[in-house]
Amino acid sequence: MMEEMECRGIVFAPYGPVWKQQRKFSHTTLRHFGLGKNSLEPKIIEELKYIKEEIQTHGKEPFNPFSIISNGVSNIICTLAFGRRFDYEDVEFTTLLSLMSRGLQVAAAAGHTVVLVDQTDEILKNSKKGIEESLKKVAKKKFADKPEAATQFIESTLKNLTVSTDPVAIVHSTDLVIEAIVENQEVKNDLFKRLDKFAPEHTIFASNTSSLQITQLANSTTRQDRFSGLHFFNPVPVMKLVEIVKTPMTSQKTFESLMDFTKVLGKTAVSCKDTPGFIVNRLLVPYLMEAVRLYERGDASKEDIDIAMKLGAGYPMGPIELLDYVGLDTSKYIIDGWYMSEPDNPLFAPSPLLNKLVEEKKLGKKTGEGFYKYK
């Protein structure tokens, strides 16, 4: 359950026993996923090129090739299922994965049985470790004078959390699927279309996207009435707000179920139609972009812009600081998408400076430099 900022992975809240984690795909399942020889073979050949390049970097020195081969197999699966390779060295990928997994603890702490699904055991291991660390911080604050209660809180929460690399096996026993993968319309549509074939009829699908149109995602499935936006804010354990986004097809029953779900999590839910950015980002992103334009024109320094909004408007963080925190690539992706849909809207006009920083891979805090430099 994650902040769209943009977290990645799939979260499942099952109602029954979890299917065997190591269940092998049957030939029928492979056909559903389009993994016939004609589609699988080119992916293997392409990945072998990457494996060869990795091995050649070691020269004649002895080394263990297992991790390279394992990573290659994972990327073949990843390419087939999600449309692209993922490198564990990818700063964007690992950072957003971390944000997503931290938010998962909220549902588990509320008593729900939760399954976190991702591409490899290595990723899931790191995600679960991050959740445990986050839980320790929450418990320390919540049970400052009760160490036994803190330990019990952590243990009971972790008992409600399991992990898997097999989304099809898990979705068979699921009430709610919350998607938080890469912020890409085509990739999300492909994932929902595939899961829709195996999910029970009653299962509700929700996307944690912060910028894409929920209606278009829903149209990739046969359950438009059981589809909604469910947008959490980062960091999920701290932020109380959840935006529930209703499409014209979202049923009242689905909406009420998601309202009840967010209440159990201890969140405050607000309702919104399927409009670009929903409520918060529709107001926030144009504000952030106008701060960038103010700086671009030379009307004020970035430092003075941030100080002014913190001291004058009472904001905890200035707009330029916030852009660095969110990730300049994330902000650019959002504004570019809105600009494509409404090119005549001046609020959605792109920023040359923001584009330049993203092109230079200066994405904010996660890369050590954005508008500001970080140690």
Side-chain angles (χ1 to χ4, degrees):
M1 295 198 3
M2 327 354 17
E3 205 307 70
E4 176 5 44
M5 231 165 67
E6 307 276 22
C7 319
R8 304 196 177 160
I10 317 164
V11 179
F12 296 90
Y15 64 88
V18 177
W19 283 35
K20 293 181 180 179
Q21 301 294 314
Q22 303 303 322
R23 185 179 72 87
K24 294 182 179 179
F25 284 116
S26 65
H27 290 297
T28 302
T29 303
L30 288 171
R31 284 197 295 272
H32 272 303
F33 271 71
L35 305 188
K37 180 180 178 181
N38 291 336
S39 60
L40 180 59
E41 191 173 46
K43 304 296 189 301
I44 295 175
I45 293 172
E46 180 183 0
E47 192 60 35
L48 283 173
K49 295 178 182 177
Y50 288 102
I51 293 174
K52 181 180 178 181
E53 290 174 4
E54 284 288 323
I55 291 175
Q56 287 177 336
T57 62
H58 290 273
K60 297 182 179 180
E61 294 295 323
F63 71 99
N64 185 348
F66 178 77
S67 61
I68 297 175
I69 296 171
S70 176
N71 190 34
V73 173
S74 299
N75 269 313
I76 292 170
I77 297 170
C78 203
T79 303
L80 288 163
F82 300 103
R84 59 165 284 194
R85 302 175 77 252
F86 285 120
D87 293 321
Y88 305 129
E89 305 298 325
D90 185 336
V91 174
E92 179 194 15
F93 176 50
T94 55
T95 300
L96 299 184
L97 172 67
S98 173
L99 292 171
M100 178 277 296
S101 61
R102 296 298 192 279
L104 181 61
Q105 70 189 60
V106 175
H112 289 283
T113 301
V114 179
V115 182
L116 171 63
V117 178
D118 223 308
Q119 286 84 31
T120 70
D121 291 329
E122 181 182 353
I123 295 172
L124 292 169
K125 180 182 177 181
N126 291 334
S127 297
K128 195 165 184 179
K129 182 179 179 181
I131 290 171
E132 290 182 28
E133 292 300 319
S134 181
L135 281 171
K136 289 177 183 178
K137 293 178 181 178
V138 173
K140 185 177 181 180
K141 185 176 180 180
K142 189 174 182 179
F143 305 100
D145 302 322
K146 301 177 182 178
E148 292 184 2
T151 301
Q152 184 178 2
F153 168 77
I154 295 170
E155 291 177 351
S156 63
T157 300
L158 291 175
K159 281 183 180 179
N160 293 330
L161 172 64
T162 55
V163 297
S164 174
T165 57
D166 189 349
V168 173
I170 299 302
V171 81
H172 277 286
S173 54
T174 297
D175 282 330
L176 172 64
V177 175
I178 303 176
E179 167 275 318
I181 65 170
V182 60
E183 195 74 343
N184 180 292
Q185 184 86 49
E186 185 178 349
V187 176
K188 288 179 186 286
N189 282 344
D190 185 55
L191 173 64
F192 279 125
K193 184 177 180 180
R194 291 170 179 175
L195 292 178
D196 188 45
K197 295 177 182 178
F198 301 97
E201 185 178 348
H202 75 277
T203 302
I204 294 173
F205 281 9
S207 176
N208 187 52
T209 180
S210 63
S211 62
L212 300 178
Q213 190 178 44
I214 301 299
T215 302
Q216 291 184 8
L217 296 175
N219 286 340
S220 67
T221 74
T222 59
R223 61 185 73 221
Q224 288 94 336
D225 60 323
R226 286 147 288 155
F227 204 111
S228 177
L230 197 64
H231 183 215
F232 292 81
F233 291 81
N234 185 66
V236 179
V238 177
M239 301 296 281
K240 295 294 185 182
L241 183 67
V242 178
E243 291 175 321
I244 299 179
V245 185
K246 296 174 65 177
T247 76
M249 299 89 75
T250 304
S251 70
Q252 186 63 22
K253 182 179 179 181
T254 295
F255 174 71
E256 291 174 357
S257 296
L258 292 175
M259 285 290 290
D260 291 340
F261 176 69
T262 55
K263 288 178 182 177
V264 171
L265 299 184
K267 304 296 184 183
T268 298
V270 293
S271 171
C272 179
K273 291 183 178 181
D274 191 14
T275 185
F278 317 137
I279 298 175
V280 174
N281 281 341
R282 182 58 184 262
L283 297 173
L284 177 62
V285 174
Y287 153 71
L288 298 177
M289 293 304 296
E290 189 57 31
V292 174
R293 296 186 191 105
L294 193 70
Y295 175 47
E296 276 182 320
R297 292 193 300 266
D299 295 338
S301 68
K302 58 181 182 291
E303 293 82 5
D304 283 349
I305 292 171
D306 283 339
I307 291 172
M309 294 310 297
K310 286 189 286 186
L311 300 184
Y315 291 174
M317 190 179 292
I320 307 298
E321 290 176 295
L322 183 55
L323 279 164
D324 272 358
Y325 178 77
V326 170
L328 303 190
D329 53 334
T330 300
S331 300
K332 172 178 161 52
Y333 185 90
I334 293 172
I335 205 68
D336 286 352
W338 294 359
Y339 179 70
M340 287 180 65
S341 63
E342 297 183 36
D344 296 328
N345 191 331
L347 293 175
F348 300 162
S351 158
L353 177 56
L354 180 63
N355 292 344
K356 180 176 180 292
L357 289 171
V358 171
E359 186 178 349
E360 294 173 350
K361 304 298 183 183
K362 297 175 181 178
L363 308 181
K365 289 196 70 174
K366 61 186 176 184
T367 58
E369 183 177 357
F371 285 99
Y372 295 102
K373 290 186 178 180
Y374 304 88
K375 293 182 179 180

PDB file of all heavy atoms in Angstrom, residues 246-261:
ATOM      1  N   LYS A 246     -13.133   7.746  -7.889  1.00  0.00           N
ATOM      2  CA  LYS A 246     -14.250   7.036  -8.514  1.00  0.00           C
ATOM      3  C   LYS A 246     -14.299   7.338 -10.012  1.00  0.00           C
ATOM      4  O   LYS A 246     -14.274   8.498 -10.418  1.00  0.00           O
ATOM      5  CB  LYS A 246     -15.574   7.455  -7.873  1.00  0.00           C
ATOM      6  CG  LYS A 246     -15.699   7.100  -6.407  1.00  0.00           C
ATOM      7  CD  LYS A 246     -16.974   7.687  -5.806  1.00  0.00           C
ATOM      8  CE  LYS A 246     -18.218   7.079  -6.430  1.00  0.00           C
ATOM      9  NZ  LYS A 246     -19.462   7.602  -5.791  1.00  0.00           N
ATOM     10  N   THR A 247     -14.352   6.294 -10.819  1.00  0.00           N
ATOM     11  CA  THR A 247     -14.599   6.459 -12.239  1.00  0.00           C
ATOM     12  C   THR A 247     -16.116   6.453 -12.442  1.00  0.00           C
ATOM     13  O   THR A 247     -16.870   6.108 -11.522  1.00  0.00           O
ATOM     14  CB  THR A 247     -13.974   5.315 -13.061  1.00  0.00           C
ATOM     15  OG1 THR A 247     -14.791   4.143 -12.916  1.00  0.00           O
ATOM     16  CG2 THR A 247     -12.562   5.012 -12.586  1.00  0.00           C
ATOM     17  N   PRO A 248     -16.585   6.786 -13.640  1.00  0.00           N
ATOM     18  CA  PRO A 248     -18.036   6.724 -13.896  1.00  0.00           C
ATOM     19  C   PRO A 248     -18.610   5.318 -13.720  1.00  0.00           C
ATOM     20  O   PRO A 248     -19.814   5.160 -13.514  1.00  0.00           O
ATOM     21  CB  PRO A 248     -18.150   7.178 -15.360  1.00  0.00           C
ATOM     22  CG  PRO A 248     -16.951   8.045 -15.578  1.00  0.00           C
ATOM     23  CD  PRO A 248     -15.869   7.402 -14.762  1.00  0.00           C
ATOM     24  N   MET A 249     -17.742   4.289 -13.780  1.00  0.00           N
ATOM     25  CA  MET A 249     -18.222   2.902 -13.661  1.00  0.00           C
ATOM     26  C   MET A 249     -18.068   2.320 -12.263  1.00  0.00           C
ATOM     27  O   MET A 249     -18.609   1.268 -11.965  1.00  0.00           O
ATOM     28  CB  MET A 249     -17.453   1.997 -14.645  1.00  0.00           C
ATOM     29  CG  MET A 249     -17.634   2.379 -16.097  1.00  0.00           C
ATOM     30  SD  MET A 249     -16.387   3.579 -16.598  1.00  0.00           S
ATOM     31  CE  MET A 249     -14.935   2.543 -16.745  1.00  0.00           C
ATOM     32  N   THR A 250     -17.310   2.963 -11.377  1.00  0.00           N
ATOM     33  CA  THR A 250     -17.092   2.430 -10.027  1.00  0.00           C
ATOM     34  C   THR A 250     -18.420   2.316  -9.291  1.00  0.00           C
ATOM     35  O   THR A 250     -19.162   3.293  -9.158  1.00  0.00           O
ATOM     36  CB  THR A 250     -16.147   3.331  -9.215  1.00  0.00           C
ATOM     37  OG1 THR A 250     -14.916   3.487  -9.920  1.00  0.00           O
ATOM     38  CG2 THR A 250     -15.867   2.723  -7.850  1.00  0.00           C
ATOM     39  N   SER A 251     -18.727   1.120  -8.782  1.00  0.00           N
ATOM     40  CA  SER A 251     -20.001   0.913  -8.091  1.00  0.00           C
ATOM     41  C   SER A 251     -19.972   1.512  -6.694  1.00  0.00           C
ATOM     42  O   SER A 251     -18.896   1.693  -6.094  1.00  0.00           O
ATOM     43  CB  SER A 251     -20.318  -0.577  -8.002  1.00  0.00           C
ATOM     44  OG  SER A 251     -19.424  -1.222  -7.096  1.00  0.00           O
ATOM     45  N   GLN A 252     -21.148   1.798  -6.174  1.00  0.00           N
ATOM     46  CA  GLN A 252     -21.255   2.328  -4.814  1.00  0.00           C
ATOM     47  C   GLN A 252     -20.741   1.311  -3.802  1.00  0.00           C
ATOM     48  O   GLN A 252     -20.127   1.673  -2.805  1.00  0.00           O
ATOM     49  CB  GLN A 252     -22.712   2.696  -4.502  1.00  0.00           C
ATOM     50  CG  GLN A 252     -22.921   3.385  -3.161  1.00  0.00           C
ATOM     51  CD  GLN A 252     -22.217   4.728  -3.049  1.00  0.00           C
ATOM     52  OE1 GLN A 252     -21.905   5.355  -4.064  1.00  0.00           O
ATOM     53  NE2 GLN A 252     -21.959   5.180  -1.831  1.00  0.00           N
ATOM     54  N   LYS A 253     -20.990   0.032  -4.081  1.00  0.00           N
ATOM     55  CA  LYS A 253     -20.523  -1.033  -3.183  1.00  0.00           C
ATOM     56  C   LYS A 253     -18.999  -1.038  -3.102  1.00  0.00           C
ATOM     57  O   LYS A 253     -18.421  -1.175  -2.009  1.00  0.00           O
ATOM     58  CB  LYS A 253     -21.026  -2.390  -3.676  1.00  0.00           C
ATOM     59  CG  LYS A 253     -20.626  -3.556  -2.782  1.00  0.00           C
ATOM     60  CD  LYS A 253     -21.177  -4.873  -3.313  1.00  0.00           C
ATOM     61  CE  LYS A 253     -20.741  -6.035  -2.423  1.00  0.00           C
ATOM     62  NZ  LYS A 253     -21.243  -7.341  -2.935  1.00  0.00           N
ATOM     63  N   THR A 254     -18.346  -0.883  -4.256  1.00  0.00           N
ATOM     64  CA  THR A 254     -16.876  -0.833  -4.279  1.00  0.00           C
ATOM     65  C   THR A 254     -16.375   0.376  -3.508  1.00  0.00           C
ATOM     66  O   THR A 254     -15.438   0.273  -2.707  1.00  0.00           O
ATOM     67  CB  THR A 254     -16.372  -0.763  -5.734  1.00  0.00           C
ATOM     68  OG1 THR A 254     -16.724  -1.972  -6.403  1.00  0.00           O
ATOM     69  CG2 THR A 254     -14.866  -0.587  -5.784  1.00  0.00           C
ATOM     70  N   PHE A 255     -16.995   1.514  -3.738  1.00  0.00           N
ATOM     71  CA  PHE A 255     -16.595   2.742  -3.051  1.00  0.00           C
ATOM     72  C   PHE A 255     -16.732   2.592  -1.538  1.00  0.00           C
ATOM     73  O   PHE A 255     -15.814   2.946  -0.772  1.00  0.00           O
ATOM     74  CB  PHE A 255     -17.448   3.915  -3.540  1.00  0.00           C
ATOM     75  CG  PHE A 255     -17.220   5.193  -2.788  1.00  0.00           C
ATOM     76  CD1 PHE A 255     -16.046   5.913  -2.942  1.00  0.00           C
ATOM     77  CD2 PHE A 255     -18.183   5.669  -1.901  1.00  0.00           C
ATOM     78  CE1 PHE A 255     -15.826   7.086  -2.236  1.00  0.00           C
ATOM     79  CE2 PHE A 255     -17.974   6.842  -1.196  1.00  0.00           C
ATOM     80  CZ  PHE A 255     -16.805   7.554  -1.365  1.00  0.00           C
ATOM     81  N   GLU A 256     -17.853   2.052  -1.084  1.00  0.00           N
ATOM     82  CA  GLU A 256     -18.085   1.883   0.354  1.00  0.00           C
ATOM     83  C   GLU A 256     -17.107   0.875   0.959  1.00  0.00           C
ATOM     84  O   GLU A 256     -16.652   1.049   2.094  1.00  0.00           O
ATOM     85  CB  GLU A 256     -19.525   1.451   0.594  1.00  0.00           C
ATOM     86  CG  GLU A 256     -20.547   2.548   0.285  1.00  0.00           C
ATOM     87  CD  GLU A 256     -21.980   2.073   0.393  1.00  0.00           C
ATOM     88  OE1 GLU A 256     -22.181   0.857   0.649  1.00  0.00           O
ATOM     89  OE2 GLU A 256     -22.894   2.895   0.206  1.00  0.00           O
ATOM     90  N   SER A 257     -16.778  -0.166   0.213  1.00  0.00           N
ATOM     91  CA  SER A 257     -15.808  -1.161   0.698  1.00  0.00           C
ATOM     92  C   SER A 257     -14.441  -0.525   0.915  1.00  0.00           C
ATOM     93  O   SER A 257     -13.758  -0.798   1.915  1.00  0.00           O
ATOM     94  CB  SER A 257     -15.692  -2.316  -0.303  1.00  0.00           C
ATOM     95  OG  SER A 257     -16.896  -3.024  -0.412  1.00  0.00           O
ATOM     96  N   LEU A 258     -14.031   0.332  -0.009  1.00  0.00           N
ATOM     97  CA  LEU A 258     -12.735   0.995   0.115  1.00  0.00           C
ATOM     98  C   LEU A 258     -12.759   2.040   1.228  1.00  0.00           C
ATOM     99  O   LEU A 258     -11.752   2.244   1.917  1.00  0.00           O
ATOM    100  CB  LEU A 258     -12.335   1.632  -1.214  1.00  0.00           C
ATOM    101  CG  LEU A 258     -12.025   0.636  -2.336  1.00  0.00           C
ATOM    102  CD1 LEU A 258     -11.748   1.359  -3.646  1.00  0.00           C
ATOM    103  CD2 LEU A 258     -10.853  -0.261  -1.962  1.00  0.00           C
ATOM    104  N   MET A 259     -13.886   2.692   1.422  1.00  0.00           N
ATOM    105  CA  MET A 259     -14.020   3.629   2.545  1.00  0.00           C
ATOM    106  C   MET A 259     -13.847   2.892   3.865  1.00  0.00           C
ATOM    107  O   MET A 259     -13.127   3.346   4.764  1.00  0.00           O
ATOM    108  CB  MET A 259     -15.386   4.318   2.500  1.00  0.00           C
ATOM    109  CG  MET A 259     -15.523   5.385   1.428  1.00  0.00           C
ATOM    110  SD  MET A 259     -14.532   6.873   1.759  1.00  0.00           S
ATOM    111  CE  MET A 259     -15.432   7.568   3.150  1.00  0.00           C
ATOM    112  N   ASP A 260     -14.498   1.742   3.984  1.00  0.00           N
ATOM    113  CA  ASP A 260     -14.382   0.930   5.209  1.00  0.00           C
ATOM    114  C   ASP A 260     -12.947   0.461   5.411  1.00  0.00           C
ATOM    115  O   ASP A 260     -12.424   0.442   6.535  1.00  0.00           O
ATOM    116  CB  ASP A 260     -15.320  -0.277   5.131  1.00  0.00           C
ATOM    117  CG  ASP A 260     -16.790   0.113   5.193  1.00  0.00           C
ATOM    118  OD1 ASP A 260     -17.089   1.236   5.667  1.00  0.00           O
ATOM    119  OD2 ASP A 260     -17.637  -0.690   4.766  1.00  0.00           O
ATOM    120  N   PHE A 261     -12.301   0.063   4.321  1.00  0.00           N
ATOM    121  CA  PHE A 261     -10.922  -0.417   4.389  1.00  0.00           C
ATOM    122  C   PHE A 261      -9.996   0.667   4.918  1.00  0.00           C
ATOM    123  O   PHE A 261      -9.156   0.415   5.787  1.00  0.00           O
ATOM    124  CB  PHE A 261     -10.482  -0.871   2.992  1.00  0.00           C
ATOM    125  CG  PHE A 261      -9.047  -1.306   2.904  1.00  0.00           C
ATOM    126  CD1 PHE A 261      -8.608  -2.461   3.522  1.00  0.00           C
ATOM    127  CD2 PHE A 261      -8.128  -0.556   2.177  1.00  0.00           C
ATOM    128  CE1 PHE A 261      -7.284  -2.865   3.424  1.00  0.00           C
ATOM    129  CE2 PHE A 261      -6.805  -0.953   2.076  1.00  0.00           C
ATOM    130  CZ  PHE A 261      -6.379  -2.113   2.704  1.00  0.00           C
TER     131      PHE A 261
END
